[in-house]
Amino acid sequence: MRQAVDCLIKNAQVITLNSQREFLENGAIAIAGGRIVAVGPSASLEACCEPNTVIDASGLVALSGLVNVHAHTHSTLTRGTADDAPLLTWLKEHAEPEQRSVTDEECYWAALLAFAEMLKSGTTCVLDMSLWPRAGLEAARRSGIRCTLAPYVADGLDFGVKLEDNVTLVSELSGGDGLHRAWFGLHSILSCSPEQIRRAAELAEQSGVGIHIHANEVEWEGKLAQERFGQRPVEYLHSLGALGLRTVLAHCVWLSESEMELLAKTGTHVAHCPTSNAKLGSGVAPIVELRRRGVNVGLATDGARANNNLDMLEEMKVASLLQRVHNLDPTILPAYEVLEMATLGGAKSLGLEKETGSLEPGKWADLILIDTRRLHLTPIFTGQYSNVVSHLVFAANGGDVHTVMVGGRLLVRDRHLTFMDEEELMTRATRYGFGLLDRARDERQGVVGRRAERLKYGQ
């Protein structure tokens, strides 16, 4: 008897990303109940499955959805307005005035714009450090993206989320289906008191969730930490109990030898943001050395204000090329390893490696189909001359993503969003972006800003 399934994707070039690195030239994926139930040759699965829906993926490459392990969705509305500035200037003159001025409604549309952009460019799972996490949660629910929320908590700043609100969010989202979760988010060691960091680490341990924090992004951060705390940033976090298997540190550009050893020893994960680090002139993170020591590294875009897009396919290329030019070695960080960082590495960072990151039976049906019938992806070869993975990392871009599925639900079909009208989204985002820039300008000038429009989410 043929097995009833919800969907059968057939005739695809399937990059399984399993432990054997299997590649199927004419493969199929059977999906039921939001999970993958079988992966194999198209002929075999067509013979044994009775699908409700069939997707003919001829000319398309199937792989697990990309995992973005550090983003700030609230920054999407002002992309392109804070270029050509070093990090400290960028923070004080651009980011912080906007963060003090932004409303929950603006954060909702910013997050919805970010999630839509991520999905259309192949990201199915994201760790979002958001100023207004409930706005981000509503946007994540509407878009259908898999999202872990880690709010902006910092008792040394006059904006952001209070730790007790983070506790409430974690409690409310615990025990769900894995689509939307909450972690503890800490802004940085310089904006959070040691008491707050220590307490967040204790609460995360008690709740069985993770911690997300910026660390070692610029060279002066390490020097300042040494002066203020008598330790470098990673050492300081370790002394407060904030490192471990459930901790993701964003950036980690300027690490000492002892800090790298500490990351490896504690099993702490690193979110690598190559484009953001390059644009802000922060430096090149020692990714090759971290991986050599056994540190798990995932890829990330950072926020749209610092990048300026959220295209993880582009991020893979930048990650590899920066390591090669920095180390003067064209053999390091080859295409397949970068692809694993963007999928399995990200999934492991979030504790989801048993659920996503590869196309295997039992995992969530979080997958993407990339159209290889493009001039810049031609010719494409299989067999002994296979260049499929090389094309994905060094030639493809987000515009090549044809289909996106999260938990078995089609969110992008033939390059179009299925959950909302894109024109409406762009119109809303532009209108709210103008208003936010005006109020941020007033904030910088010390003017009492005009009252922001406050609406119910989605109106």
Side-chain angles (χ1 to χ4, degrees):
M1 177 182 288
R2 301 174 74 191
Q3 179 183 3
V5 297
D6 298 325
C7 179
L8 180 68
I9 299 171
K10 66 177 185 177
N11 300 326
Q13 297 181 70
V14 180
I15 301 174
T16 65
L17 288 159
N18 63 18
S19 59
Q20 291 79 41
R21 293 186 171 183
E22 287 182 287
F23 174 77
L24 303 175
E25 292 189 10
N26 188 356
I29 306 161
I31 297 159
R35 291 186 179 268
I36 298 169
V37 295
V39 179
S42 285
S44 298
L45 265 62
E46 285 186 87
C48 67
C49 292
E50 187 69 45
N52 290 329
T53 301
V54 175
I55 296 176
D56 186 347
S58 299
L60 308 180
V61 173
L63 70 150
S64 183
L66 306 176
V67 182
N68 185 344
V69 286
H70 180 64
H72 299 293
T73 58
H74 59 263
S75 75
T76 317
L77 295 182
T78 57
R79 79 171 92 215
T81 63
D83 294 341
D84 310 319
L87 181 64
L88 189 58
T89 302
W90 182 86
L91 286 170
K92 297 301 180 183
E93 296 186 9
H94 298 284
E96 290 185 8
E98 291 172 16
Q99 289 163 349
R100 292 189 184 94
S101 306
V102 72
T103 68
D104 52 354
E105 178 68 8
E106 288 163 346
C107 276
Y108 169 79
W109 287 100
L112 197 55
L113 176 63
F115 293 147
E117 180 185 352
M118 288 180 194
L119 286 165
K120 285 197 69 176
S121 55
T123 294
T124 57
C125 182
V126 59
L127 175 55
D128 180 27
M129 183 173 273
S130 176
L131 273 173
W132 292 81
R134 294 192 180 280
L137 176 60
E138 291 303 313
R141 284 172 170 162
R142 180 168 180 179
S143 71
I145 197 169
R146 196 173 300 283
C147 181
T148 298
L149 296 156
Y152 239 57
V153 173
D155 52 7
L157 298 175
D158 58 359
F159 58 87
V161 178
K162 295 187 181 302
L163 184 58
E164 52 265 34
D165 295 327
N166 200 159
V167 172
T168 301
L169 188 67
V170 167
S171 177
E172 289 178 2
L173 293 179
S174 64
D177 59 2
L179 191 59
H180 304 121
R181 312 180 304 165
W183 277 14
F184 285 92
L186 297 167
H187 181 264
S188 76
I189 63 168
L190 301 178
S191 57
C192 298
S193 67
E195 294 78 18
Q196 187 175 64
I197 296 173
R198 185 181 292 108
R199 182 58 180 154
E202 293 171 351
L203 291 167
E205 179 68 25
Q206 293 168 12
S207 305
V209 301
I211 302 169
H212 190 34
I213 185 170
H214 299 95
N216 300 68
E217 185 171 358
V218 287
E219 187 176 16
W220 55 258
E221 181 184 347
K223 296 177 180 178
L224 188 57
Q226 193 75 51
E227 293 173 5
R228 187 176 297 181
F229 311 118
Q231 296 173 297
R232 288 190 56 81
V234 171
E235 297 165 344
Y236 177 63
L237 287 170
H238 183 55
S239 72
L240 298 174
L243 299 187
L245 295 171
R246 292 196 183 103
T247 296
V248 177
L249 303 185
H251 303 297
C252 290
V253 177
W254 294 90
L255 294 168
S256 67
E257 290 287 326
S258 62
E259 286 179 298
M260 286 191 277
E261 285 296 331
L262 203 48
L263 293 177
K265 179 181 178 181
T266 59
T268 302
H269 310 273
V270 170
H272 178 39
C273 308
T275 302
S276 170
N277 295 155
K279 185 190 176 193
L280 290 169
S282 299
V284 179
I287 299 306
V288 173
E289 182 61 19
L290 285 170
R291 285 169 55 83
R292 186 185 70 78
R293 294 169 185 260
V295 177
N296 178 60
V297 179
L299 280 184
T301 59
D302 207 349
R305 193 193 290 110
N307 190 307
N308 295 35
N309 66 42
L310 305 174
D311 186 343
M312 283 284 287
L313 284 166
E314 179 181 282
E315 213 68 37
M316 288 195 289
K317 179 176 182 176
V318 175
S320 180
L321 299 191
L322 278 181
Q323 293 301 310
R324 294 178 180 204
V325 71
H326 185 68
N327 292 281
L328 301 179
D329 184 350
T331 69
I332 59 178
L333 215 57
Y336 205 100
E337 289 185 16
V338 180
L339 183 59
E340 288 179 324
M341 286 169 60
T343 50
L344 288 164
K348 186 176 180 181
S349 298
L350 300 178
L352 297 176
E353 65 270 27
K354 294 182 180 179
E355 302 284 7
T356 192
S358 61
L359 300 181
E360 300 181 79
K363 290 195 173 186
W364 290 320
D366 296 356
L367 57 87
I368 61 177
L369 300 178
I370 296 180
D371 193 347
T372 60
R373 300 163 296 188
R374 318 276 278 177
L375 292 176
H376 59 280
L377 299 178
T378 301
I380 192 160
F381 303 123
T382 55
Q384 64 176 319
Y385 299 115
S386 180
N387 60 357
V388 177
V389 175
S390 176
H391 277 359
L392 292 180
V393 173
F394 295 119
N397 61 65
D400 301 322
V401 176
H402 181 278
T403 300
V404 178
M405 181 180 287
V406 176
R409 178 187 171 196
L410 278 172
L411 303 181
V412 176
R413 181 188 294 117
D414 196 15
R415 296 187 176 85
H416 294 287
L417 301 176
T418 64
F419 55 88
M420 77 171 301
D421 179 73
E422 293 180 32
E423 289 296 329
E424 177 194 359
L425 176 55
M426 291 188 287
T427 299
R428 291 269 195 167
T430 302
R431 176 164 69 89
Y432 281 117
F434 270 117
L436 174 56
L437 286 171
D438 283 343
R439 293 197 316 282
R441 177 201 59 203
D442 293 343
E443 170 72 27
R444 283 192 296 272
Q445 296 174 353
V447 177
V448 178
R450 61 185 62 81
R451 184 166 184 157
E453 184 179 8
R454 304 299 288 270
L455 300 172
K456 184 179 178 182
Y457 294 133
Q459 288 188 345

